[in-house]
């Protein structure tokens, strides 16, 4: 995945968070499923803010939710195989992948995918 694809995937992820407000550290934790490069993380945050996906306020990220959230039945695909979770690194026999317009993000375990999307 190239730089632009990672930025688009990161912005898509932020657009689909299911929390109205999160600490910056929690948002960075989610972005790290796309990239661990600090410069690219900043670019994702800057791009999301410029596009009106998020607002930044005193160390917190405010999401601008307009009915955008992940529909688990349609956008989350389960695949059997030998995977490592992108969030926690645990070994998985079933990976959960999220399909965004910009690409696919995963694999995640069943609990990590909920955390990444802000459901837990």
């Amino acid at each position: 995945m190239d730089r632009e694809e990672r930025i688009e995937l990161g912005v898509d992820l932020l657009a689909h968070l299911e929390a109205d407000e999160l600490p910056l550290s929690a948002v960075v934790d989610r972005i790290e499923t796309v990239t661990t490069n600090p410069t690219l993380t900043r670019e994702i945050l800057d791009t999301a803010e410029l596009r009106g996906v998020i607002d930044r306020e005193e160390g917190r990220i405010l999401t601008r939710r307009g009915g955008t959230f992940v529909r688990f039945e349609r956008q989350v695909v389960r695949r059997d195989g030998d995977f490592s979770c992108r969030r926690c690194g645990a070994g998985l026999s079933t990976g959960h992948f999220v399909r965004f317009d910009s690409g696919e993000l995963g694999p995640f375990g069943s609990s990590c995918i909920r955390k990444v999307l802000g459901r837990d």
Side-chain angles (χ1 to χ4, degrees), residues 7-107:
I7 291 171
E8 291 306 315
L9 195 55
V11 171
D12 259 353
L13 175 61
L14 295 179
H16 287 85
L17 290 178
E18 295 191 24
D20 294 328
E21 181 179 335
L22 288 168
L24 178 60
S25 60
V27 173
V28 169
D29 180 57
R30 287 159 172 85
I31 292 172
E32 285 178 342
T33 64
V34 177
T35 182
T36 55
N37 179 317
T39 303
L40 195 52
T41 297
R42 179 175 293 283
E43 283 186 57
I44 289 169
L45 289 167
D46 290 346
T47 301
E49 187 173 29
L50 285 171
R51 292 184 187 171
V53 172
I54 62 167
D55 286 318
R56 297 186 218 188
E57 187 175 289
E58 297 178 18
R60 301 199 59 80
I61 300 296
L62 309 172
T63 59
R64 295 183 184 175
R65 294 173 50 196
T68 304
F69 57 92
V70 170
R71 298 188 186 282
F72 268 69
E73 314 79 47
R74 293 184 200 161
Q75 289 177 273
V76 176
V77 178
R78 292 174 39 151
R79 292 190 194 116
D80 292 329
D82 186 21
F83 304 108
S84 294
C85 179
R86 285 190 66 104
R87 182 174 180 275
C88 73
L92 305 169
S93 58
T94 301
H96 295 77
F97 298 80
V98 185
R99 288 184 178 163
F100 294 117
D101 290 340
S102 60
E104 192 172 84
L105 184 60

